[in-house]
Amino acid sequence: MGKLFAYEWYKLGKRRLFLLLAGVLLAANIVAIYAQEQYTSAWFYIWEQRENFLRFQAGDTSADSDHYYQKAVDSQLEYLDSYGVFIGQMSDRAEQLNQSLLFDGNRVFLEGNLEKTQRDFAPFQGLELKVDNCFGVAGYAGYSTGILFLLVFLGVLAYYVLFVERDAGLLLLLKGCRRGHTGLGLGKLGTLLTGAAAYTVLQEGGTIGFYGIVYGYGDLARPVQSAQVFRNCALPLSVGEALAVNVLIRLAVALFLASVLYLGGMALRSKSGAVAMIGCVLGGLWGLNQVFTVNSQLNWLKCVNPFFCWDMEQTLGTYLNLNFFSHPVGKGVCAGVVGLIAGCGCAAMGVYLFHRTCQVRVKGSVELAADWLRGKMAWMSRHTNLLRFEGNKPLIQQKKVLVLLLLAAWCVWSCYGVYQPKYFGMAEDAAYEAYLQRWQGKITQETLDDIAEERERLNGIEAQMTQLLDSDQPDAAWTIKVLEAELDMWTDGLHRLEQQLEGLKARGADLFEVYLVNELAYIRIWRDVSGQVREWLLGTVMMLILVNGLYPMDEQRGLIALLRSTRNGQEKLDRSKNIVALLLSMAACLMSQLPLLVRYWEIDHFTVAGQDLSYLTPYMFRSGITLGGLLALVFLCKLAMFLLVGMGAVQLSKRMKHETLATVVTAGVAGVAAAVLIQIHCDVTVLICDLLTVPMW
Amino acid sequence: MCLAGVLALNLAACGAKDLPDTYAAGSDHQYGMDFNHMALVAKVQTGERGTYVLAGGYIYLVDGASGALVPLCNKADCLHDHETDARKAQQCNASVYGDYNDENSDLGIQYCNGYLYLMWAEGYRSDEPMVLWRFAADGSSKERIWTWERGVRCYDWIVHRDVLYYIKEAYAVGAEGEVNKGISLCSINLTGPMQERTIREQDEDSELVLASISDLNAYGNHLYFSQITQSDLEISEIEANMAEHFFPAKIQMDLTTGEMTEIGGDLVGPEETIVEMVVWKDKLLFSVGDVWTKKLVEEQCSWYTADLDGSNAEPFTEVEIPARYGITTEGKYLYVNNLFAVDYGAVPEDEGECLVYDQNHQLVDTVGIRFRHGVGMPWTGTAEEAFYAGKKLDDNGEIAAWVILRWDKSGIGSYQGSDIELDELYRVAVKN
């Protein structure tokens, strides 16, 4: 088995693309950290103002012009005082709880939990904490996007280890041998596990190194509880040890995930089925981690979740005992035991399945029936047009028209949602919307007269109400109520509109040359960064699924070698494939971005597209570009992004010659990019708006 | 939300089936006998373990005889209300995420079958959707179990027999640019699959407009609420006296059949409504007066008693309720008091008093309530003790502090006109 294991690694070593991808992922992880950190105050004050920070640490308080460093020290000092209270009064709190009616009834777990909590924290009585640089350890603890890069790497690794030989039909040879089934299965498992471990160590090493270089960790020997984020850590660790323990925990998570992927790859003979199943399992685990908190009744579902265990703030910074048949058991122990059992179970099951089937693909009755039907209907797809035939291959032969239909269904559903009734929590927002429906567009004398008339109407109602209130008429109460309701409904909305007009005047606008714009509606869309990034991700992933098979499909059939021998044929074929890729990318872009376009259309039917951006009162945009121009720019950038990503993916899949691998890599990169964009609250619109904003200095 | 609904199915305690048509402790809405309190601002609830109080952004259990406030969190490794780190404060099971010192955070709690419920939105002005939180009564958990769509605001709400009833309000812009205020009374079952059900909303075929729903309450198998419908008039059509266009009513809904009836019927004349209503000895006891409570404050209301569904109404003669006096009860005693009139300045502050009647309608005590009426009267609670949790005003009428006061009712019978004695359990100064 040792030789098989070594040979698996030897094969991987020969795959330059695999090594390149691993390197790219490690580098991308560092870029993701940079993207997350560059907007933080710590980045500015500790990294960009490094000299000042070092001078402050050396005792030069004049270097702290904004009092940032001193505030950080004061905050730590305050925390150190509170830690004494936290530990010192723990027994009092436990005693109060124990004697309170809160613990009335079933006390076994509750009492046990209190005892265990006190016992676990007892060693920290009198612990000497130290004020020091906590920026590095807090930053490292707060960064958990690395698990996405790990998953992409595991996908690539699993592809090379589990699928390449299977796709080439080499495992059929093994099936006929009496020995070697289990050995090869174990060898592949070992390769996956060691690959996952090696990548994790490298990635975490890079992450720790990055934070160390940028922020520093201070004295590594001081207790980890010196950082406030680890106040509830019940492990006697120094900062250095905590970093090491975290790497070990992440190593265990990586091994567990590798086992899950191994089982998924072995359990299903269909590659797309395996990818879908693993995607569902991982998506489900991610969803559970999002839905539940550590305060939930079903918090055990969160605590044994790999996504939770990857989060250092949660694993080392949160203390929690789970109820195991009325006995309190630490969340770490529970996660470890569940992970070990599940991981070993997945691995063992995977080896067993490989032993049984050797992953030799056998067509089921449904597939045989489909083949028969396809043969009978073949006359329908006898195309002489190369472009049409190339389009037919991914959409019909690979059945990816279903993906397109799925995206189209989502598009229709989303567009339909735009026209559903919109609710406003405040009358002010609803009135503003109603006024804008009436008056938005080019401002005319008639618009201003109407607004003035409406103000007059409301003033009249107010005067009438005041008159009735002053008159103290006994029967006027209902009338006052009606008038009051009318004023409540409209006054603030009109005031907001008038403020907008004042804002336009203040910016020197000739009112008859500008437009009245529903600014709130535009702001609402621009602020929904996560929604727009999710729509982009959906469209991108669908597009990647559609285009990534164009070249690898012919490669796998061995047709390319034949076509390469005819120069003209190859050129025409490549051109057709590229045109199909472009068309599919544009289709994916259109369908994923159409709901956004409809949302913009629904605001004002683009009647105010000519408004100069500098007259959007909530912003300080540069002049010279119109609102319509901004929207056109946004959508053009999005289309360009789709085409770039689509064509890039086509070229990548052409080089890789493997559809699944190319899809896993490109979709994984898109997923990570989306996660980072959501985290830093940035998308194409925000970026363009930032570029068009007049600097404040 | 769907997942939360499925989980609620698994976690649910016993439902409200087969409960009698009377007050069932533990599962019923706890102001069921006193309809004059809005659930939205209910800061005090009684559970199996004792009394729970919402104060300072945390839920506390008032611990038995000692009266100590124990945060509703069973973790010893938690600083509870002494926490300074906002993220760690969120992990405390007693924390409700709201800043009670903020005048706008008018939160309330509701106890039902081992859980406390709290409805909350991230600030009144914010776009954040409203959320229903559930806290385990033993302090072991808290979780959000329902999230409403953006733009929807829920005002009055109660939990009764494992069902959440609430009044939903949202503004929408109509096809012709008019603003429509949508009001509806809805419910969500908290033990089964969670699904919103509309009980009362604008009837599209009706010529009357549903203007408001309020005063949500429940007792036994009955849900009660006030509604005002009005003629569909343009603002230009208003007259000096609009009373004839408004139709206030107190509605009872039978929770077993879903049938709705109007309480009072012919007893309520034009421009009149039911002003106060309590349940006394499993019967409704209500006063009829004008909508603006002028009669209650300055004159004499008419008092009636009726069955829980509003039928068989007849004058209430067992206790003579004086002019400017209202009533309240927790089921054991009937408190006849003039605090409403004091609040409106119709009666001097030093004449505030409460006449306490027992089940046989015998006057057992007279309690003087002559302190500055900035803390209200602690009615809510049990027959043994009552609590007030809310704001304490200073001499200028400004909010000075948030307080929790307790009235030990064992003294009833011995006051004989002397002032009420309240123990202060909690006080926190209002942030400036």
Side-chain angles (χ1 to χ4, degrees), chain A residues 623-690:
Chain A
S623 61
I625 185 165
T626 61
L627 183 59
L630 171 73
L631 297 186
L633 198 61
V634 167
F635 281 103
L636 276 175
C637 283
K638 290 193 174 201
L639 179 65
M641 267 171 63
F642 268 90
L643 294 180
L644 272 174
V645 174
M647 296 315 290
V650 166
Q651 293 307 315
L652 191 70
S653 65
K654 193 176 169 183
R655 302 269 182 282
M656 284 180 166
K657 297 175 185 170
H658 295 295
E659 182 188 351
T660 313
L661 182 62
T663 307
V664 168
V665 170
T666 47
V669 170
V672 170
V676 171
L677 285 173
I678 289 172
Q679 203 155 20
I680 63 174
H681 201 74
C682 180
D683 72 338
V684 174
T685 317
V686 172
L687 211 62
I688 294 174
C689 284
D690 280 352

Side-chain angles (χ1 to χ4, degrees), chain B residues 170-207:
Chain B
Y171 294 90
V173 180
E176 291 171 16
E178 78 282 10
V179 175
N180 299 316
K181 185 178 175 184
I183 299 166
S184 54
L185 170 58
C186 302
S187 70
I188 295 173
N189 194 340
L190 299 170
T191 56
M194 294 176 76
Q195 196 179 5
E196 189 176 73
R197 195 169 68 92
T198 303
I199 295 172
R200 177 86 175 91
E201 61 182 341
Q202 173 67 45
D203 182 356
E204 294 299 327
D205 300 328
S206 173
E207 290 177 358

